[in-house]
Amino acid sequence: MTLRLGDTAPDFTAPSTQGEIRFHDWIADSWAIFFSHPKDFTPVCTTELGAVAKLKGEFDKRGVKILGLSVDGVEDHEGWSRDIEATQGVKLNFPLIADKTRAVAEAYDMIHPNAEATQTVRSVFVIDNQKKVRLSLTYPASTGRNFDELLRVVDSLKLTSNNSVATPANWKHGDDVIILAALSDEQAREKFPNGWRAERPYLRYVPDPSAGARKSS
Ligand code: BEZ
């Protein structure tokens, strides 16, 4: 099934390196990043899991739980975790789903048969605290993902969910943001009484309302 933005992330129960995970219960009131790996004991995946483990504190600050998936079993995952710690210098500090039946991978459309029949591609889903899919990305097996970009996306999603703003190209936390085009100047004056910098009537910048604050909701 193709998952689209705004869809409810499919629930599942599956074994992991931290015991059985009931996905919706596990997310609880947090946000989540759920991402797939083609196979255990592969080089790019090894570097990716190390990179995410190093960023775990940043995801924690933002109230985002991390969950990985590979179609190998828990025993392989545990052996691989030792390799990740030895080569990447960091412990695997989040659960990795063991999806041997590929049931979860199929529910999330993580297997793209024209790319590879049995392994997953590199999918990423950002899921919010209502269990809705807020972002999906698909990378090929040969290209490791940029996990700093996921932190940036989470900052944008949380900011734009709670304010009448959008974030421009290459925006990062603290940069100016754009007032939604749907807001008339009159409506904008109520929300942004300090005014804005208009480069065009539809391109109105205000300072990042979240600058200086980092809430985990
Ligand atoms: C890797 O993680 O290095 C990898 C996995 C599957 C195919 C190609 C590369």
Side-chain angles (χ1 to χ4, degrees), residues 38 42-45 119 122 141-142:
T42 48
V44 176
C45 297
Q119 299 172 358
R122 297 186 193 282
S142 54

Side-chain angles (χ1 to χ4, degrees), residues 119-160:
Q119 299 172 358
T120 68
V121 289
R122 297 186 193 282
S123 301
V124 185
F125 296 93
V126 177
I127 296 161
D128 71 15
N129 54 359
Q130 305 302 308
K131 321 288 186 287
K132 300 292 182 196
V133 175
R134 299 294 296 273
L135 171 122
S136 70
L137 288 173
T138 306
Y139 276 48
S142 54
T143 304
R145 288 158 285 196
N146 181 335
F147 294 95
D148 289 323
E149 167 63 1
L150 290 179
L151 289 173
R152 192 190 76 86
V153 165
V154 166
D155 286 344
S156 172
L157 286 170
K158 290 202 164 195
L159 173 64
T160 58

Side-chain angles (χ1 to χ4, degrees), residues 89-100:
V90 63
K91 247 187 173 7
L92 195 66
N93 49 14
F94 55 87
L96 193 56
I97 294 286
D99 188 31
K100 279 180 95 165

